[in-house]
Amino acid sequence: MRIVVAEDLYLLRDGMVRLLEAYGHEVVATATTGAETLQALLRHRPDVAVVDVRMPPTQSDEGLRAALAARRELPGLPVLILSQYVEQLYARELLADGSGGIGYFLKDSVFDADQFIDALERVAVGGTAMDPAVIAKLLSSGSSNRRLERLTERERSVLGLMAEGLSNHAIGQRLFLSDSAISKYTTPLFGKLGITDDDNNNRRVLAVLAYLNNP
């Protein structure tokens, strides 16, 4: 994959570049400010970008705003946010266009290289990869969604794990259920969320976005 890495801390940025290259990926550009991030994303149009939230000059939300601006210009541009903070407003804005290709992980939650690379690859192909802590934060601040209220407790559990980016098999392992049992939950789950079996859409992504946007 062709990757842009936007991170202002040298050691972390250099470490990510070395890690990505060790897994056979190409880092086409790095950025240390919000402005550099936007420029790199628009110029290189990477397969996926890793972007920190808080970057110079103000160390507030420059990285996340640069990612949003880039996705407005390049709809569906895959972005994995890797941060110490959950910026709820902008996270919801990233999810709002419904196109997928979004990940949001807290740096303290990434425990090994395989986990990070797996999340990055899921985002690159248009999926989602959400930190459970980010999911909890978004849901705690959301308003009522009548479609979600139709889901059973088990269906909500399946959908929450789906939001983390887990496959049906991985969800089954987490919930101690068979793959066929998980399929029996996902089919009515999609129906209750009003998501049809349309080959032009990824139903899993649409379900996750409905769950996390919680409008």
Side-chain angles (χ1 to χ4, degrees):
M1 296 186 297
R2 298 173 62 259
I3 302 171
V4 166
V5 174
E7 167 62 58
D8 62 305
L9 296 178
Y10 169 75
L11 289 178
L12 183 54
R13 183 177 66 253
D14 186 63
M16 278 196 288
V17 170
R18 291 173 183 270
L19 172 65
L20 293 168
E21 292 178 343
Y23 274 76
H25 300 302
E26 178 188 4
V27 177
V28 295
T30 61
T32 61
T33 68
E36 287 180 3
T37 299
L38 179 57
Q39 182 180 32
L41 294 177
L42 295 180
R43 177 182 177 185
H44 294 281
R45 302 187 176 212
D47 297 317
V48 64
V50 183
V51 179
D52 190 12
V53 169
R54 300 189 178 185
M55 302 180 73
T58 67
Q59 291 292 349
S60 56
D61 53 15
E62 285 89 342
L64 196 43
R65 285 192 285 110
L68 283 167
R71 277 175 64 97
R72 284 193 289 269
E73 293 292 326
L74 304 170
L77 175 71
V79 175
L80 173 62
I81 300 297
L82 188 62
S83 177
Q84 291 178 305
Y85 312 95
V86 180
E87 296 288 350
Q88 297 179 45
L89 177 62
Y90 292 122
R92 289 190 181 283
E93 191 172 343
L94 273 174
L95 293 162
D97 64 13
S99 61
I102 289 296
Y104 201 132
F105 268 78
L106 297 180
K107 293 176 180 177
D108 292 342
S109 299
V110 179
F111 298 115
D112 59 57
D114 289 340
Q115 176 195 18
F116 174 67
I117 296 297
D118 180 62
L120 196 63
E121 290 175 346
R122 290 201 306 270
V123 170
V125 296
T128 60
M130 306 297 292
D131 191 312
V134 174
I135 293 172
K137 193 77 170 178
L138 291 174
L139 294 180
S140 68
S141 65
S143 55
S144 176
N145 185 328
R146 291 184 178 178
R147 290 186 300 170
L148 295 183
E149 292 171 356
R150 301 172 189 164
L151 303 184
T152 65
E153 183 177 349
R154 178 63 80 184
E155 288 167 347
R156 289 178 68 92
S157 297
V158 169
L159 185 53
L161 293 172
M162 198 183 291
E164 293 181 35
L166 300 186
S167 65
N168 280 5
H169 180 68
I171 293 172
Q173 289 183 318
R174 187 78 67 88
L175 298 178
F176 304 102
L177 296 170
S178 66
D179 291 2
S180 59
I182 296 301
S183 295
K184 290 178 181 178
Y185 284 114
T186 56
T187 299
L189 182 158
F190 292 139
K192 291 176 181 180
L193 293 177
I195 298 170
T196 59
D197 188 4
D198 184 347
D199 290 338
N200 293 322
N201 290 318
N202 184 326
R203 292 193 299 168
R204 291 174 63 91
V205 170
L206 293 177
V208 168
L209 296 176
Y211 178 60
L212 295 177
N213 276 317
N214 198 20

